[in-house]
Structures are given as structure tokens and as C-alpha cells.
Amino acid sequence: MGRVRAKWQARTRFSQVDFYCRWSLYLIPWLMVLAAVAPVLGQAGGRPLPLALAGLALGLTVAQGLLMIRLLDRALGRYLKQGPTPARLLAVSGALAVVAEVCVFAVVVVRREWAKDDLVAMMLAAIAIPALFCLACSLVMSKRKYLASLVGVAAALMVLAGLGTQEWGGGLGLAAIVLFGGIWSFVIARPTGWLLSMFWELDRARSAQARLAVAEERLRFGRDLHDVMGRNLAVIALKSELAVQLARRERPEAVDQMVEVQRVAQESQREVREVVRGYRKADLQAELAGARSILRAAGVDCRIEGEEGTQLPAAAQSALGWVVREGTTNVLRHAIDVRRCTLRTRIDPQRSVLVMTVENDGVAPSAGGVLQASPGNGLRGLRERLEPLGGTLVAGPGLDGCYRLTVELPLGATGDGDLAGVGDGAAGGVSDG
């Protein structure tokens, strides 16, 4: 049981829903076999011929149940537009259903005398056998085509039975059996396929949202880089051209122009570093607002809770801004499986430290149910930024299926720099993605 539970927990939420819906549908034929067809053996009356016919009907229905697992899987793939129509499997399933149905009616004819309760049991078996075949047909055919075909088959059976036996009541009953079994199968199988298609569409939408969120961040970075480098490169080009012209005339002003080019180039290097490091316009409040926006775009329920009125120096705010950015990046890497993310800031008065926690769900355990962390370059970079401030960082998955990134920053070790509130703006509020 432990291995089964570990394998189940290792699946994503979408994979768990897909598995549950599919196997709920795959098990329905076996419930019909056990509840409706198996009792046919008890209705044979102990006579050899009815008993042989009932056993043959049951055996064919068991074979049908085994075939239905693969057939329904292929039929669902056809419904979800992930594969072709399983024509051969449908033909085999139809043949099995026809022969099994003939055997059931043969038992009724051979035995002749029936009690009312026994006839009800035989009728349930007669309904269940074609219903198995109709489960797959309802998924590979359009609704109108399926219902029209069902009505046509029922009408044809009624006419053939009436003409062949001159018992139009029996023909009408046969048509009613086929109609009831086909509609029951349609009501069972079609909503399951529709539900799976909605989950597949939702999965594709969340993947697209995650990609769009990353693309938006790339556009923002490209826009900032263009704003920094565009003007400076134009200045460098103009002054370099002017310096060339002055140098050809042997004018001393060429040196001044090249000095200016050197200054602009150095300024460009500094500004590019600020863009890359996120210092150009970013602070803690901007990172909190950005995290809320980008996680919302990725379909993640983001909640930001903070200490209202808490004041921190610029160095501490900058370090915590990097924590928010790295935590958001980690969530985006698993945005397809993550449903919620909570970023919480609080103060521990006993130890005089500020504690920031970034927590998200959607973390699957490894084999054996053991959760292991795999630290990357981003976490190492955060530790390097926190060490000069006396801060610590602990990150990794927990046993409850959540990933936590916890930062502790001493309040007294940050000095008396420029102060700003942690709880202002984005913090202290709640945002539902």
C-alpha cells in the first residue's frame, strides 16, 4: 500500500483526475457483467442446453469486458482528438455483443416457462450486453449520428422481429431494450469524455498562461535593456564619429571626445548590471506587486501577507526583493501543478528577526515517498546576498506536499539606513489569482 500511495502522490493533480475518470469508466463494464450478466447462469434451470447457452453468453461478456479497457481508452483518445477511430476493436466488440445477445434470447426461448422475477433478470442481461458496445460507440460518433443510428437500429430490429415472429409486441420490447441500453451508455460515457476534454483544455490553458508570463517578463527585460542601451549607444556612435573627424584634422578636442565615449561606455556597463540584477527600478514593493501579477497570469492563487508599518533599511529591502523574485521564479517553473502560493512576512519579537516565507503546493514526492530538495544557483545566490546582513535561508519540500522557502533576517544587524515599510503597498493585502 505504501508503494501504491507513493506512486499516486507522485502524479500531478491533473494526472490524478485523468486516471480517476478513465478507470471509473473502464470499471463500468465489469459492474454490468457481475450485476446483470452473471445471474443468467442461475436462470438456466439446471438443464444442459440453457446452461451451456448462459455460460457462453457470460464468457463472451467477460471477453467483452477485457476488450473494453483497451477499446474505451482508444475511444477516449478519439473523443479528445488524440488518436484515430478504433474501427477494428469496435467491430470485434460488436460481434461479441451480437453473439452474446443471441445466446441470452436463446436461453429465454429454450426454457419457455419463466417466473416474473426471472424474466426481469434476463431483461437486465439483454440490456447490459448491447450497452457495453454502445459505451465505446457514443465516444467515437457525434451526438446526432449516434442517436440517429440508435433509433434506426431499434426500428430495424422491431420490424425484423415483428415480421419474423408475427409478435409485434416482442419486436417493440426488443427495440425498447436496445434504445434503453444505448441511451444509458450515452449518458454514462459522453459526460466522462466531456469532463476529460475540459481538464485537457484547462491544462493547455494553464501551460499557455505560464509561457505568456515568462514571455512578458522577457519583454520587460528587453524593454529595460533597450531603454538603457539605446540612448547610450547612440551617444557613443556620434561621439566616436566626431572624434574620428577631429583626429583626422589633428585637433586636440578628439581626446576629450574619446574620454566622453569612455565615460558613457562605463555608465552603460553600470546600467546594464543594474538591469540584470534588477536594481534599476525594482525594490521590495515592486517585486511583491510583480510577483502577484505574474503568478496571477500563470493561474496561481497568490496571497501576500505582511507586517503593516514595519520599517527596513534599503539593503534589507533589496535582499528581500531578491527572495521574492527567486521564490516567484521557482513557482513559475512548476506553474502547471501549482494551485496556490503564499508569501508571508512576520516578525519574531523574541529573537528580533524578520521571517519571510514563500510557500507553494504542487510538489510531488519521489519514489518511496521521500521528499528531497535540489538546490540550484538561485538559492546559492540568495544565501550569498543574505550572509552580509546576517540572514539565513532554508528551502525544500515538506511532507505535506508543499515547498517552503524561509528567510530569517536579524532586525538589529541591518543598520540605520533608509527605512521603508514592508507592509505598504502590495504587502499586507490578499490577492486571489
Side-chain angles (χ1 to χ4, degrees):
M1 290 297 296
R3 291 183 179 180
V4 173
R5 183 178 180 182
K7 290 182 178 180
W8 175 257
Q9 292 178 347
R11 292 176 175 267
T12 62
R13 293 183 183 274
F14 171 75
S15 178
Q16 290 175 351
V17 173
D18 183 84
F19 181 89
Y20 174 80
C21 291
R22 287 178 180 272
W23 279 96
S24 296
L25 185 61
Y26 298 163
L27 292 177
I28 287 176
W30 290 102
L31 295 178
M32 298 168 66
V33 170
L34 295 176
V37 183
V40 172
L41 285 176
Q43 308 301 327
R47 296 168 58 186
L49 182 57
L51 187 61
L53 291 172
L56 179 59
L58 180 59
L60 292 173
T61 310
V62 170
Q64 178 86 302
L66 294 173
L67 179 67
M68 289 300 293
I69 295 178
R70 185 176 181 184
L71 177 56
L72 288 175
D73 182 70
R74 298 280 296 277
L76 282 173
R78 173 65 179 85
Y79 183 85
L80 298 173
K81 299 179 180 180
Q82 298 175 353
T85 301
R88 294 183 179 179
L89 292 178
L90 281 173
V92 175
S93 177
L96 291 175
V98 169
V99 177
E101 189 78 353
V102 170
C103 290
V104 170
F105 280 102
V107 172
V108 175
V109 173
V110 171
R111 184 175 171 182
R112 295 183 181 179
E113 297 180 358
W114 290 89
K116 185 177 179 180
D117 294 340
D118 295 340
L119 278 177
V120 171
M122 297 301 295
M123 183 178 296
L124 289 177
I127 293 175
I129 290 173
L132 296 177
F133 174 68
C134 291
L135 281 173
C137 289
S138 63
L139 291 171
V140 300
M141 300 171 66
S142 64
K143 291 183 289 187
R144 292 183 179 180
K145 187 176 180 180
Y146 174 80
L147 294 176
S149 300
L150 186 62
V151 173
V153 170
L157 289 176
M158 181 180 66
V159 172
L160 291 175
L163 293 176
T165 63
Q166 299 301 318
E167 293 289 340
W168 290 97
L172 183 61
L174 180 61
I177 288 174
V178 173
L179 281 175
F180 184 83
I183 293 175
W184 182 86
S185 299
F186 181 86
V187 173
I188 292 296
R190 196 81 180 191
T192 302
W194 176 82
L195 182 63
L196 279 178
S197 67
M198 290 298 101
F199 274 105
W200 277 98
E201 185 176 348
L202 177 62
D203 181 63
R204 288 191 294 267
R206 295 192 67 181
S207 299
Q209 286 178 338
R211 291 193 298 269
L212 287 175
V214 174
E216 182 181 354
E217 181 64 17
R218 289 176 177 173
L219 288 175
R220 184 199 66 80
F221 179 81
R223 183 171 58 250
D224 290 352
L225 192 62
H226 176 270
D227 294 342
V228 169
M229 297 300 297
R231 179 185 63 85
N232 291 350
L233 289 176
V235 172
I236 290 174
L238 290 174
K239 288 188 173 293
S240 298
E241 182 179 357
L242 178 59
V244 169
Q245 294 177 359
L246 292 174
R248 288 175 178 175
R249 300 175 185 176
E250 297 183 354
R251 298 285 296 273
E253 291 87 347
V255 177
D256 297 333
Q257 296 297 327
M258 291 307 299
V259 171
E260 182 67 13
V261 168
Q262 182 182 18
R263 185 193 67 79
V264 175
Q266 292 174 346
E267 180 69 14
S268 299
Q269 287 180 330
R270 183 185 64 80
E271 291 182 345
V272 169
R273 293 192 192 99
E274 291 177 353
V275 171
V276 173
R277 294 174 182 174
Y279 287 131
R280 183 167 178 245
K281 291 183 179 180
D283 57 6
L284 178 57
Q285 304 307 321
E287 293 298 335
L288 289 172
R292 178 172 53 187
S293 175
I294 198 170
L295 289 176
R296 178 186 301 168
V300 179
D301 178 13
C302 178
R303 298 180 180 272
I304 299 177
E305 306 169 0
E307 294 278 354
E308 292 286 353
T310 303
Q311 302 296 316
L312 291 176
Q317 280 213 61
S318 176
L320 293 178
W322 273 99
V323 172
V324 174
R325 174 168 292 191
E326 178 63 21
T328 304
T329 302
N330 288 337
V331 173
L332 285 175
R333 290 176 181 172
H334 310 285
I336 296 179
D337 301 328
V338 175
R339 288 188 175 182
R340 62 175 179 82
C341 175
T342 303
L343 196 152
R344 186 178 298 106
T345 305
R346 64 180 180 86
I347 294 177
D348 187 345
Q350 296 181 351
R351 296 185 298 158
S352 187
V353 297
L354 183 141
V355 181
M356 174 177 283
T357 304
V358 182
E359 179 179 306
N360 62 271
D361 63 356
V363 179
S366 59
V370 180
L371 291 166
Q372 297 179 351
S374 55
N377 294 326
L379 296 181
R380 285 194 289 268
L382 286 181
R383 290 189 175 94
E384 293 174 357
R385 295 177 185 277
L386 292 170
E387 283 180 0
L389 302 176
T392 60
L393 181 146
V394 177
L399 296 178
D400 55 354
C402 292
Y403 188 93
R404 293 184 184 86
L405 188 152
T406 304
V407 171
E408 294 186 356
L409 194 63
L411 295 177
T414 55
D416 298 326
D418 299 331
L419 298 180
V422 173
D424 302 334
V430 176
S431 173
D432 297 329

